[in-house]
Amino acid sequence: MCNIYGYIRVSSRDQNADRQLIALKELDIPKKNIFMDKQSGKDFERPQYRRMVRKFRKDDLLYIESIDRLGRNYTEILEQWRILTKDKGVDIVVLDMPLLDTRRGKDLMGTFLSDIVLQVLSFVAENERENIRQRQAEGIAAAKARGVKFGRPPKTLPRDFSNIYQRWKSGIITGTEAVRECGMPLSTFRYKAELYEKAMLLK
């Protein structure tokens, strides 16, 4: 008897985990067989995915919401599809694309059509991600050109920073005492002191 699994992958900022969970639970997938990875864009370790794959046996069934859950790009999606369907012998159902259901058309023609659809969709998914990244980069560049500042605003210097700096520079107080009076880390104080020195030289 085959086991049924579900896999969810969301970024740390993504809010669609609940929607994916609801979709998988409606399929009567045992809770213990639903695996989820949350990660940032830079991190693609997917420990839960690897754990799930180790559990797979021939003829098990995997549900995923969309094809891009399997990988970050066209090459990776195709490679994971090959590993799961060919090496592991697992059936895959992609919920938002009914054509990608390996339980159907197990004959040569069915497999051929499924592979074509997979390659087209993988390419489209990767191309869309590239377009999104490009639009984001263009938006950030346009915002910077308008003078929009990104990141946290720099903290203002204490009112008596000049006095603290002069006392520290002349050896009246130590660096530890200076940072305590300024309320900032030593590395920040040294950086601010360097900028202050340069500003004084330009006067």
Side-chain angles (χ1 to χ4, degrees):
M1 182 178 178
C2 73
N3 289 307
I4 303 175
Y5 293 88
Y7 178 66
I8 298 169
R9 178 174 63 80
V10 293
S11 72
S12 55
R13 294 172 297 179
D14 204 339
Q15 299 301 313
N16 71 352
D18 289 343
R19 176 169 53 79
Q20 292 185 60
L21 271 171
I22 291 170
L24 292 179
K25 286 178 179 177
E26 287 177 351
L27 298 167
D28 292 327
I29 301 172
K31 188 176 180 180
K32 65 182 178 65
N33 286 354
I34 296 178
F35 294 79
M36 179 169 65
D37 283 310
K38 283 190 176 183
Q39 57 209 168
S40 66
K42 294 180 180 178
D43 173 26
F44 206 73
E45 294 299 316
R46 299 195 296 173
Q48 292 302 310
Y49 178 80
R50 295 200 307 272
R51 181 167 162 249
M52 177 184 69
V53 172
R54 287 196 295 269
K55 289 178 173 289
F56 284 154
R57 298 291 178 267
K58 184 175 171 51
D59 296 326
D60 282 348
L61 176 60
L62 170 64
Y63 284 96
I64 54 175
E65 183 195 36
S66 59
I67 193 64
D68 62 0
R69 301 302 90 182
L70 289 181
R72 289 171 294 187
N73 53 49
Y74 175 70
T75 303
E76 197 165 56
I77 291 170
L78 291 178
E79 175 65 10
Q80 289 304 313
W81 187 275
R82 184 194 63 77
I83 290 171
L84 296 177
T85 60
K86 303 296 194 296
D87 297 352
K88 291 286 186 177
V90 172
D91 277 315
I92 303 176
V93 176
V94 181
L95 296 177
D96 68 356
M97 181 52 62
L99 282 173
L100 287 178
D101 182 344
T102 60
R103 297 172 302 177
R104 301 174 183 174
K106 292 264 187 183
D107 58 5
L108 184 60
M109 181 56 70
T111 301
F112 176 69
L113 290 174
S114 179
D115 285 348
I116 290 176
V117 172
L118 171 67
Q119 292 191 41
V120 170
L121 289 176
S122 298
F123 175 78
V124 169
E126 181 180 6
N127 195 52
E128 179 58 23
R129 281 193 294 273
E130 289 297 330
N131 288 338
I132 290 171
R133 281 195 287 267
Q134 181 65 26
R135 289 195 295 269
Q136 287 174 337
E138 290 172 354
I140 291 171
K144 285 182 176 179
R146 294 195 306 270
V148 176
K149 302 293 185 183
F150 291 88
R152 294 180 181 178
K155 289 186 178 179
T156 56
L157 292 174
R159 289 183 181 178
D160 56 345
F161 182 81
S162 177
N163 177 45
I164 296 170
Y165 167 80
Q166 296 295 343
R167 288 159 54 215
W168 167 73
K169 193 69 175 177
S170 60
I172 297 173
I173 61 174
T174 65
T176 302
E177 292 170 321
V179 299
R180 186 164 55 243
E181 289 187 33
C182 288
M184 62 179 64
L186 180 58
S187 59
T188 303
F189 174 76
R190 291 188 182 280
Y191 174 68
K192 298 291 186 183
E194 183 180 341
L195 293 180
Y196 181 80
E197 286 175 4
K198 290 178 179 178
M200 290 297 100
L201 290 173
L202 292 174
K203 284 187 175 182

